[in-house]
Amino acid sequence: MVKIRKTMTMFVAAAFLLSCLNIPVAHAGAVYSLSGYVTDASDGSIIPDVQVKISGDKEASAVSDASGYYQIDNIPGGSKINASASKAGYASASPVSKITNFDSDKTVNFTMTRIAKAASSSAAGVVQTQSAYAVQTKPFFAAEDSSKNDKKESPKPAFTVSGKVTYYASGLVGVKVMVNNDRKLSAVTDVNGYYSVSGIKSGQKYTLSFSKDGFTFNPSESEISGKGFDVTVNSEGVPSTYKIYGTILDGKYKIEGVEVKAVSGVDERTAITDKTGFYAINNLAYGNNFTVTAYKNGVVITPLKVNVNKLDNDRQINFSALVRKFNISGKVAGTKDKPLKKAAVELKTPYDKLTALTSSKGAFMFEDVPEERSYDLTASKEGYLSDTVNIRSLDSDQ
């Protein structure tokens, strides 16, 4: 005991409340491709023999095939490029596409508008033509009113909406496409991702939606003007992901540092509980089966495992824990070893902050203190300097 005038010293002892439980319970060098389709802005029809060029950090070109598809390979990762398309007799419908960081395979689709040849007024009588290009990035198109591109077309009493749904530049089969959620005005994409909904009456606005289990879409909905012109609306599918989350508690105590695993085949994801006992494992693939377990040395956790079959939404899984607990007791004394009555004693643990007052004999006790690696025990009383004791590794008598 250190004896200092108007100071106090604290003795601390730790004893087991319960018997010990020893129950064990991934761009450098990468190359990518640019691909897409070239279509007519007025009716969505394919345009073959269009020259697609890229410039900037990489210069290359390709020509669209009979299905309007082009592909340029071996573009170094991280490249900055401009992409454009041109063909005699066609004019641009949108600006050049600029890609500032080529960090994955990219899809850029082009729309173009046919232009008429105009006779020159020069003496040589040369016919002048204009060629240009158009670019659209993901998603391919928003709904377009073809009357803007073809002045000769007249409104129809009923029109058609069609397009393509892609997944990483390939067609996505089985996507349900609906107009105003009307089953009579719906279609399902074919093996190439194409769909067509006809017989839509003119004169009102419509909402076109895309849906498929395990996917979200960009856009997921698109507004159609309904002015009596056929329109093209394309979308891109993105695989859905979900999370498994929850808490691990021992009664009111929040258990930090528990390792929680979600395993599906060779895919293993891990999370560690925070100070509130909370964990979350994100970006888990739709439809997979998972086995979820939780472990921390010295802690019994139940249930031992939880099976999740065909994950199709966010799942909450909570665990219960049983932590070894102890009593912490001691005495607070002042000058000349005189016991201090009603001294405030505070025990700060990773789980909680506990307080007690000393008895007439200066004694105090904290019961059911969960095992941890470090505790701060502080005693204070008006007129005295406070004293703090640090307790480490409360897993044996001290």
Side-chain angles (χ1 to χ4, degrees):
M1 178 185 300
V2 178
K3 300 178 181 179
I4 303 176
R5 184 175 59 87
K6 283 296 183 179
T7 64
M8 61 184 168
T9 308
M10 178 165 47
F11 297 93
V12 181
F16 285 113
L17 174 64
L18 300 177
S19 60
C20 295
L21 300 176
N22 296 315
I23 302 177
V25 203
H27 296 295
V31 293
Y32 301 104
S33 65
L34 177 71
S35 61
Y37 289 84
V38 186
T39 57
D40 194 307
S42 64
D43 59 7
S45 61
I46 61 175
I47 305 179
D49 302 319
V50 176
Q51 186 176 45
V52 180
K53 292 182 178 180
I54 62 170
S55 59
D57 292 342
K58 168 78 173 181
E59 294 189 358
S61 64
V63 176
S64 61
D65 60 19
S67 66
Y69 179 79
Y70 77 92
Q71 181 169 319
I72 301 174
D73 298 315
N74 300 319
I75 302 174
S79 295
K80 298 179 180 179
I81 68 166
N82 295 330
S84 62
S86 63
K87 180 177 181 177
Y90 285 84
S92 64
S94 56
V96 174
S97 177
K98 296 181 179 181
I99 301 175
T100 59
N101 182 16
F102 220 98
D103 57 355
S104 63
D105 292 341
K106 303 289 184 181
T107 299
V108 175
N109 299 284
F110 300 86
T111 55
M112 308 182 73
T113 303
R114 185 184 298 276
I115 60 174
K117 295 182 179 181
S120 172
S121 58
S122 62
V126 177
V127 175
Q128 298 178 341
T129 63
Q130 178 183 3
S131 65
Y133 48 82
V135 179
Q136 285 188 323
T137 55
K138 300 178 179 180
F140 296 107
F141 308 94
E144 299 179 19
D145 187 340
S146 61
S147 64
K148 295 180 180 179
N149 302 312
D150 189 351
K151 300 298 183 181
K152 295 181 180 180
E153 185 178 354
S154 300
K156 306 172 183 178
F159 64 96
T160 298
V161 58
S162 59
K164 183 175 183 178
V165 181
T166 61
Y167 170 52
Y168 288 115
S170 298
L172 182 60
V173 66
V175 179
K176 190 170 185 178
V177 186
M178 297 185 71
V179 177
N180 281 6
N181 289 320
D182 187 343
R183 292 183 180 180
K184 295 180 180 180
L185 296 176
S186 65
V188 176
T189 57
D190 62 19
V191 293
N192 295 311
Y194 290 104
Y195 74 92
S196 180
V197 182
S198 59
I200 307 172
K201 294 182 179 180
S202 303
Q204 69 178 79
K205 291 184 177 181
Y206 293 92
T207 298
L208 184 72
S209 61
F210 302 86
S211 63
K212 178 181 172 70
D213 286 345
F215 287 86
T216 59
F217 294 89
N218 185 15
S220 58
E221 293 185 346
S222 186
E223 186 177 278
I224 304 171
S225 66
K227 294 182 179 179
F229 298 95
D230 293 343
V231 295
T232 300
V233 181
N234 298 325
S235 187
E236 178 187 14
V238 179
S240 299
T241 60
Y242 300 100
K243 66 180 178 181
I244 294 174
Y245 67 98
T247 56
I248 301 180
L249 307 176
D250 180 1
K252 68 177 182 179
Y253 295 113
K254 307 169 181 65
I255 311 302
E256 181 183 6
V258 179
E259 182 181 63
V260 185
K261 290 184 179 181
V263 180
S264 177
V266 297
D267 185 15
E268 180 179 298
R269 308 290 182 89
T270 302
I272 306 296
T273 55
D274 60 19
K275 292 182 179 180
T276 68
F278 176 81
Y279 76 91
I281 305 176
N282 300 308
N283 300 319
L284 300 176
Y286 164 88
N288 284 2
N289 299 327
F290 292 91
T291 299
V292 185
T293 59
Y295 174 80
K296 183 177 182 180
N297 188 32
V299 181
V300 180
I301 299 176
T302 56
L304 295 178
K305 66 178 180 179
V306 177
N307 293 321
V308 177
N309 297 321
K310 295 184 179 180
L311 184 68
D312 58 1
N313 55 25
D314 292 343
R315 285 287 302 272
Q316 181 174 4
I317 299 176
N318 298 325
F319 292 88
S320 296
L322 178 62
V323 182
R324 292 189 296 180
K325 296 182 176 68
F326 305 89
N327 287 347
I328 297 179
S329 62
K331 292 183 179 181
V332 179
T335 308
K336 297 181 180 180
D337 296 336
K338 183 179 180 180
L340 288 181
K341 178 182 179 181
K342 293 186 178 181
V345 184
E346 178 182 277
L347 177 66
K348 184 181 291 185
T349 79
Y351 309 105
D352 211 344
K353 183 167 67 176
L354 308 175
T355 59
L357 291 176
T358 58
S359 67
S360 60
K361 296 181 180 181
F364 67 88
M365 176 180 285
F366 293 101
E367 297 181 331
D368 295 342
V369 180
E371 175 187 1
E372 251 304 334
R373 296 180 180 178
S374 179
Y375 303 81
D376 286 328
L377 189 63
T378 303
S380 60
K381 183 177 176 66
E382 185 176 356
Y384 292 83
L385 297 176
S386 62
D387 189 19
T388 299
V389 174
N390 180 257
I391 305 172
R392 294 188 177 276
S393 298
L394 185 62
D395 57 3
S396 62
D397 291 340
Q398 296 190 19

